[in-house]
Structure formats: structure tokens, C-alpha cells
Amino acid sequence: MSNLWDLSAIQPNTAVVLEGDTLPAMFWNGVDKRGAQVWMRQKKLGIWRTWTWSQTGQAVREIAGGLMSLGFVPGDTASILSNTVIEWVLADLAVLSCGGVSNGIYPTDAASQVHYLCEDSRTTILFVEDDEQLDKALEVRAQLPGLAKIVVFDMEGLRELDDPGVISLKALREMGARYVGRQGDELMHRVKACRPEDLAILVYTSGTTGKPKGAMHSHRGLVHTVRGYNTLVAQDERDERMCFLPLCHIAERVGGEYFAMYTGAILNFVENPETVPENVREISPTVFTAVPRIWEKFYSGVMITLKEASPLQQAAYGWGIGVGTQIADKVLAGQPVDGFLKFKFTLARWIALNNVRKLIGIHRSRFLVTGAAPISPELVKWYLALGVPMLEVWGMTESCGASTGVPASRIKPGSIGPAAAYNEVRLDPATGEILVRGTNVFMGYLNQPEKTAETIDAEGWLHTGDVGVVDEEGFFRITDRMKDIIITAGGKNITPSELENELKFSPYITDAVVIGDKLPYLTVIIMIDQENVEKYAQDSDVPFSNYASLTRAPEVQQLIQGELDRVNRKFARVEQIKKFFLLDTQLSAEDEELTPTMKLKRKLVQTKYAPQIEAMYR
């Protein structure tokens, strides 16, 4: 169990732990080296089932054989339309082992988006999870003449299907086993023929401005990055991770699947997105990477549970977190922790804090990693006070994930850390934009050379669109997106993300979009946390019939006003938010207002809710 004042368990590892200069070479070296060791676990019908490296290798060999028997050749693209399941990884590694290009599609995408992504990537084989995803593929199949076959992971509900263009994963594996029996050496010939400079994967950006763009990543860039990650947040074969973010997102694809493949850490797959809180308590990961929304949700859950606790339990937590905060303050200031304070913290953990960690499921975690969006510094400090270091990383799809990272030896809440050792990071002297250069930077956008030229300049610097500052220690801090900075009618420059992060620290607020560009004062559109606000309403006898009526209830409006007042007290008068509007529609990843990673799209929200925004300025 990690101690906040002893960070020796988090040391960077610069050694090469697995040879291979392409992803398939690395994977097959891992199969040879780790054989009977467990690599993946997935819960099916209430039982955790394990996959050893050897079992994984056999499945990948058979799927790859099936692909080759269907005429899949090096350079062809296969897409995967599925939630985060083990079959996703098997299909991905089989495609790469064949010398193909692997592309992921969000399971929440509509049929029209599936059509666009398959057409743009020239997909010849499409893997789908189940009947729901198959329906989308069949709806657009006639418009995809290049699509040769659809492979279904889970055939439940499709027993009677008779379609020559559709095959089950089981049947593909059987076909592949026969093919490998006849053409035994072909797969390894393909693996050896794969070159570091070859295109390996496509990762489509979420398309908050226009159609999604396919970011192209080479084997060289991916191998360089996963080796680099071990110098940032090292893990090894003793570690257990949770695999639950979408695998078509760069964070889980590179920081989850490929990084675990390189280091040998065990990947535990959750049952579905709704069971994450329950599964994390079962898995108790030793290394836990998540987006800020997950960390906010865990914090909210603890705060709501505390309200129901007895006065004695509340007092024990209050004292314990107070001691933890004293430790956190000393660690953040770089000061030594004396023996008496260590003793008090040991007592605090025994009395209260260990229970909080177990309630979340982070009691075995050596450290936590947060990224993909800004996080409140207060939240980082809260996890530190529990005794679990939280390290913030920053990067983007185009930089293959993390480009900066906060080291465990020097945590600075609110900072994204210095440049990672495997790339360069600097500020544009004219605009303050953060620029990245290195082998990890992507090859460009598929079929969009003009967009590539706008993003990577002549000197190889990737223009990220994030504006930041850097301190004397080389630690960067993001101040905002270039296109998001607000200049009020009074000429005041406002960083909306700072206000939004403070609001999202509330257990009752899931997301917020601050408005005010060229306007006399600031307003905000808020998405409430349905679960916590519903509980508040029930506990307070507030009548409501549906989600919309809940958001309109005067007591709920007053609750959110209280949260807004709390945030406003931290800012100067010109930076304070005067009015708010609660979204009265329950949004999910299928709705256009949200990105697949559940963030509100600023521009779209401002356009769609223009009448409500105008009303706040009357």
C-alpha cells in the first residue's frame, strides 16, 4: 500500500523491457517471453475469465489466418465497431500482425458516421460487437463497395442469420486455423515484413469542428511512445490495470492496450460502462488511468455517502482528511514529513481514509493518472490527502497521447508537468500556443494534406491549439484552448476552463460551458449530475416527474445557485458568472452535444441553445 510521503514505488524505467520495432513484433515477442502468464481478464456471466499470453497468441493467429484467407493483404484497413472487450484487442492485434491498418469506431456512432469512417479509411473488413452494431453496418453496406466482409464478435440473437457477407468471429477463427495449418509460415513472414515507418493505426478525432479527421500513426511512433510512457508512469508485470475507456480513443489504445502489452501489466476489462464503479472495487487496480469525469464522479459518490453517515463517521472522516491535507501540503511544498505526522496519518487511514479508498476501489493503487481534459487542482489535492498520488498528463490524438507528465517526485496541482523525455515541448513566442515535436507526432491526417499542413509546420512542430505558460522549473500549465478564450465587451480576457473546472468540482455538476465572448458579463450552461441531484431532490422532498422537471424545480435551481456562489467567491468581480441555464435534456454519448468522451461541445452548445443564452442577457 503506497504512502504519500514515500514515492519510491513510482520510479521511471528507461530500460527496454520488450524488444520489437513494430507493434506485431513486440506482441509476438511478448507471447514467446510471457507464455503462461495472465495478460487479460474479462467478466462473463459473473465469473472473471483469464487469457494467458499463449491463449491470446493462439486467438490472434487464428483471426489473422482467417483474414488472410479472406484476401486481406498488407496495407488493407480493417475497422472495429465495438465496446471495450477482449475481442477488440484480439482483432486489433490480428490486423496489425497481417500488416494491415487498424481503425476503431465508437460504438455510440450512428450508421451515417460508420459509413463515413469506413469509406474514408477504405475499410475492407469490419468487425462489429453484436446485433446492435451489425444493424448499423448493414444499413450502410450497400454504399460501401469496398467492404468485403463483416465479422461479428457476439452472435447472440443472430443464430438464424444467413448472409454471405457476414461471418461470426468463431467461424473466422475456424477458417483461420485451417488456413494456418496449410500456410504455417505466412503470418510470421508478414510480421517480419512489417516496417517501423508503415502506417499502423488510424484514430479519428471526435469532430467537434466539422467531420472527424483520421490521424495516422506509424509503428515507429507507437513503439517510441509506449517505451517512453515507462519513463513517465512506469508499470510492470506485477501491475493490474482497468480497461474501460473506448479503445478507439488514443488514451486507452496506447496508454492501455499497447502500454500493457509492452510492460506485461494485466488488463482487466469491465463488464460495461455502467459497472465501472462496481468493477473497480473488484479489480482494485494498482495503476489507474481515467479522465477527470471519472475522478469527479468518485469524489461526488464519497461526498454523497458522507451525508448519510453518522455524526461519528463524519467526524472521523473530517479529522482524517484534515491530517491527510496537512501531509499533502508538506509534500506539495517539498517539505519533509515528521514522524508524529506520519503516525497521525497512519491512524487517520486506519480510522477513516482506508475505507474511503476501498469505497472507490483505489486502496491498492500505487498512483493515479488523469488526462484528456483539465482537472480541478483541489481534486488532485483531495486524492493526495487520501494517500494516493495523482499524476496529470497532457497530450492529444496527434501526439500519440501524453506529451507532458507530472513526475511523482514533484507534484504541482494545476500543472501538466514538464515535457516527457521522448519529445520536445515549447511555447510559440507569438501566441503562447503549446507546440510538440518528436517521433511520437503523427504522420498526418488521412486524405487531408491541407489540414496536415495547418497542424504540423515546416520544422516539424505540432500546433496543438492549447495555450499555456511555463514556469522556471519547466512545468507547463494550460490556460485555455486558443479558440476558447473569452474577451468580454469590457475587454477583459477570461479563461473559461478555470471557472468550468471549479464548477465541475461540485458533486451536482457534470459539465459546464461558460459564455461571455463580446458580451457584458459571463453566463454558464450547466449539465447536472442526474444521480446526485435526484438523490438531493428525494432527500429534500422536492417533487419532480422527469429529468426536465427536475432541472426546473426551484429547489434544484437554488442548489446550483449555491454551487455557483461558491465558485464566484474565488474570482474577481469581472470574472464572476451572473446567470446560469440548466440543460433540461438528458444527454448521452449518442447526442450531438457530447463528444464520445462525454464532454460538451462548446460551439455546438452555444449554437443549439442560442435562444436560452440570449434570454440570460435580456
PDB file of all heavy atoms in Angstrom, residues 443-458:
ATOM      1  N   MET A 443       1.681  10.997 -38.398  1.00  0.00           N
ATOM      2  CA  MET A 443       2.132  11.116 -39.788  1.00  0.00           C
ATOM      3  C   MET A 443       1.319  12.154 -40.568  1.00  0.00           C
ATOM      4  O   MET A 443       1.719  12.564 -41.660  1.00  0.00           O
ATOM      5  CB  MET A 443       2.002   9.759 -40.495  1.00  0.00           C
ATOM      6  CG  MET A 443       2.788   8.630 -39.849  1.00  0.00           C
ATOM      7  SD  MET A 443       2.197   7.004 -40.406  1.00  0.00           S
ATOM      8  CE  MET A 443       2.866   6.930 -42.078  1.00  0.00           C
ATOM      9  N   GLY A 444       0.166  12.531 -40.040  1.00  0.00           N
ATOM     10  CA  GLY A 444      -0.714  13.468 -40.743  1.00  0.00           C
ATOM     11  C   GLY A 444      -2.129  12.926 -40.761  1.00  0.00           C
ATOM     12  O   GLY A 444      -2.420  11.848 -40.235  1.00  0.00           O
ATOM     13  N   TYR A 445      -3.039  13.702 -41.358  1.00  0.00           N
ATOM     14  CA  TYR A 445      -4.443  13.289 -41.463  1.00  0.00           C
ATOM     15  C   TYR A 445      -4.677  12.552 -42.772  1.00  0.00           C
ATOM     16  O   TYR A 445      -4.263  13.019 -43.837  1.00  0.00           O
ATOM     17  CB  TYR A 445      -5.366  14.499 -41.389  1.00  0.00           C
ATOM     18  CG  TYR A 445      -5.331  15.239 -40.077  1.00  0.00           C
ATOM     19  CD1 TYR A 445      -4.896  16.567 -40.009  1.00  0.00           C
ATOM     20  CD2 TYR A 445      -5.741  14.627 -38.897  1.00  0.00           C
ATOM     21  CE1 TYR A 445      -4.866  17.256 -38.804  1.00  0.00           C
ATOM     22  CE2 TYR A 445      -5.708  15.305 -37.686  1.00  0.00           C
ATOM     23  CZ  TYR A 445      -5.270  16.619 -37.648  1.00  0.00           C
ATOM     24  OH  TYR A 445      -5.229  17.297 -36.452  1.00  0.00           O
ATOM     25  N   LEU A 446      -5.348  11.420 -42.691  1.00  0.00           N
ATOM     26  CA  LEU A 446      -5.657  10.627 -43.872  1.00  0.00           C
ATOM     27  C   LEU A 446      -6.498  11.442 -44.857  1.00  0.00           C
ATOM     28  O   LEU A 446      -7.510  12.035 -44.473  1.00  0.00           O
ATOM     29  CB  LEU A 446      -6.426   9.372 -43.444  1.00  0.00           C
ATOM     30  CG  LEU A 446      -6.814   8.387 -44.542  1.00  0.00           C
ATOM     31  CD1 LEU A 446      -5.576   7.693 -45.107  1.00  0.00           C
ATOM     32  CD2 LEU A 446      -7.795   7.348 -44.008  1.00  0.00           C
ATOM     33  N   ASN A 447      -6.061  11.470 -46.090  1.00  0.00           N
ATOM     34  CA  ASN A 447      -6.786  12.128 -47.189  1.00  0.00           C
ATOM     35  C   ASN A 447      -6.971  13.634 -47.004  1.00  0.00           C
ATOM     36  O   ASN A 447      -7.779  14.248 -47.712  1.00  0.00           O
ATOM     37  CB  ASN A 447      -8.187  11.503 -47.382  1.00  0.00           C
ATOM     38  CG  ASN A 447      -8.139  10.001 -47.567  1.00  0.00           C
ATOM     39  OD1 ASN A 447      -7.214   9.481 -48.185  1.00  0.00           O
ATOM     40  ND2 ASN A 447      -9.122   9.283 -47.026  1.00  0.00           N
ATOM     41  N   GLN A 448      -6.247  14.238 -46.058  1.00  0.00           N
ATOM     42  CA  GLN A 448      -6.419  15.681 -45.825  1.00  0.00           C
ATOM     43  C   GLN A 448      -5.069  16.387 -45.691  1.00  0.00           C
ATOM     44  O   GLN A 448      -4.708  16.868 -44.615  1.00  0.00           O
ATOM     45  CB  GLN A 448      -7.276  15.921 -44.577  1.00  0.00           C
ATOM     46  CG  GLN A 448      -8.689  15.352 -44.690  1.00  0.00           C
ATOM     47  CD  GLN A 448      -9.621  15.895 -43.627  1.00  0.00           C
ATOM     48  OE1 GLN A 448      -9.688  17.100 -43.389  1.00  0.00           O
ATOM     49  NE2 GLN A 448     -10.351  15.007 -42.974  1.00  0.00           N
ATOM     50  N   PRO A 449      -4.300  16.450 -46.790  1.00  0.00           N
ATOM     51  CA  PRO A 449      -2.961  17.060 -46.718  1.00  0.00           C
ATOM     52  C   PRO A 449      -2.985  18.528 -46.301  1.00  0.00           C
ATOM     53  O   PRO A 449      -2.066  18.997 -45.621  1.00  0.00           O
ATOM     54  CB  PRO A 449      -2.414  16.886 -48.139  1.00  0.00           C
ATOM     55  CG  PRO A 449      -3.613  16.645 -49.002  1.00  0.00           C
ATOM     56  CD  PRO A 449      -4.606  15.950 -48.131  1.00  0.00           C
ATOM     57  N   GLU A 450      -4.065  19.245 -46.678  1.00  0.00           N
ATOM     58  CA  GLU A 450      -4.110  20.674 -46.322  1.00  0.00           C
ATOM     59  C   GLU A 450      -4.302  20.854 -44.816  1.00  0.00           C
ATOM     60  O   GLU A 450      -3.703  21.745 -44.206  1.00  0.00           O
ATOM     61  CB  GLU A 450      -5.210  21.407 -47.119  1.00  0.00           C
ATOM     62  CG  GLU A 450      -6.652  21.053 -46.794  1.00  0.00           C
ATOM     63  CD  GLU A 450      -7.077  19.633 -47.142  1.00  0.00           C
ATOM     64  OE1 GLU A 450      -6.457  18.991 -48.014  1.00  0.00           O
ATOM     65  OE2 GLU A 450      -8.046  19.156 -46.518  1.00  0.00           O
ATOM     66  N   LYS A 451      -5.085  19.963 -44.181  1.00  0.00           N
ATOM     67  CA  LYS A 451      -5.261  20.014 -42.722  1.00  0.00           C
ATOM     68  C   LYS A 451      -3.962  19.627 -42.019  1.00  0.00           C
ATOM     69  O   LYS A 451      -3.612  20.176 -40.974  1.00  0.00           O
ATOM     70  CB  LYS A 451      -6.383  19.070 -42.281  1.00  0.00           C
ATOM     71  CG  LYS A 451      -7.774  19.502 -42.704  1.00  0.00           C
ATOM     72  CD  LYS A 451      -8.275  20.640 -41.848  1.00  0.00           C
ATOM     73  CE  LYS A 451      -9.724  20.992 -42.177  1.00  0.00           C
ATOM     74  NZ  LYS A 451     -10.140  22.256 -41.527  1.00  0.00           N
ATOM     75  N   THR A 452      -3.244  18.659 -42.602  1.00  0.00           N
ATOM     76  CA  THR A 452      -1.953  18.247 -42.034  1.00  0.00           C
ATOM     77  C   THR A 452      -0.975  19.423 -42.044  1.00  0.00           C
ATOM     78  O   THR A 452      -0.299  19.688 -41.041  1.00  0.00           O
ATOM     79  CB  THR A 452      -1.365  17.071 -42.839  1.00  0.00           C
ATOM     80  OG1 THR A 452      -2.304  15.983 -42.829  1.00  0.00           O
ATOM     81  CG2 THR A 452      -0.040  16.607 -42.255  1.00  0.00           C
ATOM     82  N   ALA A 453      -0.945  20.148 -43.170  1.00  0.00           N
ATOM     83  CA  ALA A 453      -0.026  21.295 -43.307  1.00  0.00           C
ATOM     84  C   ALA A 453      -0.376  22.403 -42.313  1.00  0.00           C
ATOM     85  O   ALA A 453       0.510  23.119 -41.837  1.00  0.00           O
ATOM     86  CB  ALA A 453      -0.072  21.830 -44.735  1.00  0.00           C
ATOM     87  N   GLU A 454      -1.664  22.538 -41.971  1.00  0.00           N
ATOM     88  CA  GLU A 454      -2.079  23.542 -40.986  1.00  0.00           C
ATOM     89  C   GLU A 454      -1.647  23.151 -39.571  1.00  0.00           C
ATOM     90  O   GLU A 454      -1.443  23.996 -38.713  1.00  0.00           O
ATOM     91  CB  GLU A 454      -3.610  23.684 -40.982  1.00  0.00           C
ATOM     92  CG  GLU A 454      -4.195  24.393 -42.185  1.00  0.00           C
ATOM     93  CD  GLU A 454      -5.727  24.303 -42.185  1.00  0.00           C
ATOM     94  OE1 GLU A 454      -6.311  24.015 -41.119  1.00  0.00           O
ATOM     95  OE2 GLU A 454      -6.326  24.508 -43.261  1.00  0.00           O
ATOM     96  N   THR A 455      -1.502  21.836 -39.350  1.00  0.00           N
ATOM     97  CA  THR A 455      -1.263  21.324 -37.994  1.00  0.00           C
ATOM     98  C   THR A 455       0.212  21.099 -37.690  1.00  0.00           C
ATOM     99  O   THR A 455       0.654  21.308 -36.556  1.00  0.00           O
ATOM    100  CB  THR A 455      -2.051  20.004 -37.790  1.00  0.00           C
ATOM    101  OG1 THR A 455      -3.411  20.216 -38.165  1.00  0.00           O
ATOM    102  CG2 THR A 455      -2.014  19.534 -36.351  1.00  0.00           C
ATOM    103  N   ILE A 456       0.982  20.628 -38.684  1.00  0.00           N
ATOM    104  CA  ILE A 456       2.426  20.407 -38.490  1.00  0.00           C
ATOM    105  C   ILE A 456       3.175  21.400 -39.366  1.00  0.00           C
ATOM    106  O   ILE A 456       3.003  21.408 -40.587  1.00  0.00           O
ATOM    107  CB  ILE A 456       2.834  18.965 -38.866  1.00  0.00           C
ATOM    108  CG1 ILE A 456       2.022  17.935 -38.071  1.00  0.00           C
ATOM    109  CG2 ILE A 456       4.329  18.750 -38.625  1.00  0.00           C
ATOM    110  CD1 ILE A 456       2.307  16.489 -38.446  1.00  0.00           C
ATOM    111  N   ASP A 457       4.009  22.244 -38.754  1.00  0.00           N
ATOM    112  CA  ASP A 457       4.701  23.271 -39.552  1.00  0.00           C
ATOM    113  C   ASP A 457       5.955  22.709 -40.221  1.00  0.00           C
ATOM    114  O   ASP A 457       6.293  21.524 -40.063  1.00  0.00           O
ATOM    115  CB  ASP A 457       5.012  24.513 -38.706  1.00  0.00           C
ATOM    116  CG  ASP A 457       6.009  24.267 -37.575  1.00  0.00           C
ATOM    117  OD1 ASP A 457       6.836  23.337 -37.692  1.00  0.00           O
ATOM    118  OD2 ASP A 457       5.966  25.013 -36.573  1.00  0.00           O
ATOM    119  N   ALA A 458       6.647  23.558 -40.957  1.00  0.00           N
ATOM    120  CA  ALA A 458       7.800  23.132 -41.763  1.00  0.00           C
ATOM    121  C   ALA A 458       8.936  22.582 -40.910  1.00  0.00           C
ATOM    122  O   ALA A 458       9.752  21.780 -41.390  1.00  0.00           O
ATOM    123  CB  ALA A 458       8.292  24.303 -42.610  1.00  0.00           C
TER     124      ALA A 458
END
